[in-house]
Every structure is written in structure tokens, then in C-alpha cells.
Amino acid sequence: MSSKLDLDVARRVCEVAAGGSLSTDSSVVEVRARGVQTVLAVRLNTAEVERRQREGMAPLLDIAVLDGLMQLPAGLPVPASSLSPLERKLLRQCPAGAVQWRDGTLVRQAVRPLRVDAAVVRSLRPTMSCLRRAGRFGAYAATSVWLNGSAKDVELLVMEAAVYGIGVVRGRADEAPDLLVAPRGLPQPRHTAAGWLLAEQVFSELAGPDRVPESTR
């Protein structure tokens, strides 16, 4: 989907897909993540973003490193001797600013830079391909397909989407979005290395001065 995104329209679509509203601190952005061009409603962790900017910390894009970081509580010292040699080696691969080593202890400084509340994949036509692309985000956020073209022959897509818990929203720039199928709500979000990696991938796309939403600058 290569047409230029209207962020106001995208926010209305995300609001409909999210059940009528988004958090007041949510920003709507379009990025490429998990190999898919997608519209996301994200909430930035402003304190973490500013900390990373001060320290020049690079995004954490290695899932093994993230898994190692998750073994440490954020902000609390952990004796290095309590970790295995492999774990210590892994944590030394973190970019500067992620972990502080001091007096035989480690302190995890890095936390998620953002939360993904909703993912919407745009498509001009109701194809199974757009459903598969949207499904790549189903484990991390309420996920929908946004049909902003012809709605002809949409019935099969609607039925398949309902089976997999993926929402379908129909809407063009000149019309109010119409929710055809509501996305399945996620249970209490789990903090996983894969979910953290998605947040880092999105943040890496937003990290340029022209991409990070205004509220964080």
C-alpha cells in the first residue's frame, strides 16, 4: 500500500478499530515492522525516549539480548556473580545506556520505549493476503485490516477475519469509518522478548528527528 497516509483519517480508523477511542497520549504513525507496512497507535514512554536521546542509546534489535535483559529487574542492582558466564557475555553486547555495570553489579536501565495499542494494515482490496499481513501483529496488539478501496466481495474476508480475531474497518478519506468486524481483545498484555522487539523495531523507525511525534521532542 503506497498511497500517502492521511494521519487524521488513520486516527479515526484506529479509534473505530479500538472500540471508539484511543488513549489521549496515543500517536498514530505508519512504519514498516515485521516485514509489513502498517499503521500503529503507539504510546511513547517519554522518560525513556528522552533518556535514550541524552545517552545516544541505539535501539535494541537483538532478541537474544532482549531476552537476557528481561532476566534483570529494571533499575535494581543484580550481582554479576549471580549470572552465568553466557548471560554476562550476552549483556555485554548491549548498546551503551542499556545496562550499567558498577562495583560487581548490573543495573538494567533500558525499558520499552513505547507500547503498541493497535495495528491496522491498509489494503485497497479484501484479499487473504492483507489478512495474513495483519495477523503478524495479532499477538501484540488489537489488529485490523483497513479497507480503503473497493468493498466488493468483502464477505469472505469478514468471515475469515472473525475466525482469527482480526478486525475489518472500511473507510475512505471522504467517509466515516465503518467497523465490519471488531478485533478480538487481547488478554492482559504479557511482557515478552518478542513484544519488546516489536517496540524497538517501531522505535528505530521513529528515531529520526522528523519521525518521533512532537510530544517527545
Side-chain angles (χ1 to χ4, degrees):
M1 189 78 216
S2 58
S3 61
K4 184 174 176 59
L5 179 70
D6 184 321
L7 285 176
D8 289 334
V9 175
R11 187 171 186 92
R12 292 198 298 271
V13 169
C14 287
E15 286 173 343
V16 169
S21 65
L22 294 173
S23 174
T24 56
D25 58 348
S26 286
S27 298
V28 174
V29 297
E30 185 173 39
V31 299
R32 186 167 185 83
R34 296 185 63 79
V36 176
Q37 195 73 14
T38 183
V39 177
L40 301 176
V42 302
R43 284 177 293 140
L44 290 161
N45 182 336
T46 305
E48 175 66 0
V49 171
E50 292 177 347
R51 185 191 70 80
R52 291 185 182 205
Q53 289 173 338
R54 286 195 307 271
E55 300 188 15
M57 180 183 152
L60 295 157
L61 300 175
D62 185 327
I63 195 167
V65 168
L66 290 171
D67 193 51
L69 284 171
M70 288 187 61
Q71 310 311 310
L72 303 177
L76 297 177
V78 173
S81 59
S82 68
L83 304 175
S84 70
L86 180 60
E87 288 172 328
R88 291 195 295 271
K89 179 180 178 180
L90 192 64
L91 291 169
R92 289 191 184 279
Q93 298 174 19
C94 291
V99 176
Q100 183 181 60
W101 296 72
R102 181 177 58 197
D103 299 329
T105 65
L106 296 82
V107 178
R108 171 160 72 91
Q109 296 176 297
V111 296
R112 285 195 196 198
L114 57 82
R115 296 279 176 177
V116 178
D117 291 329
V120 177
V121 173
R122 293 195 287 161
S123 181
L124 288 172
R125 294 180 299 277
T127 64
M128 293 301 105
S129 173
C130 67
L131 199 63
R132 288 193 293 272
R133 286 184 283 125
R136 297 184 188 183
F137 301 93
Y140 313 110
T143 303
S144 300
V145 170
W146 171 11
L147 293 176
N148 61 345
S150 172
K152 183 180 179 181
D153 301 324
V154 74
E155 292 81 6
L156 179 59
L157 178 71
V158 166
M159 289 189 295
E160 290 289 329
V163 170
Y164 293 106
I166 296 173
V168 179
V169 180
R170 180 174 59 195
R172 300 182 183 181
D174 58 349
E175 60 186 21
D178 183 18
L179 182 65
L180 303 182
V181 180
R184 182 181 303 142
L186 293 177
Q188 185 67 25
R190 294 183 301 120
H191 188 30
T192 66
W196 191 351
L197 178 61
L198 174 62
E200 295 287 342
Q201 290 170 337
V202 173
F203 183 68
S204 72
E205 286 238 349
L206 300 178
D210 296 327
R211 292 300 308 276
V212 176
E214 191 70 31
S215 61
T216 69
R217 297 187 199 165

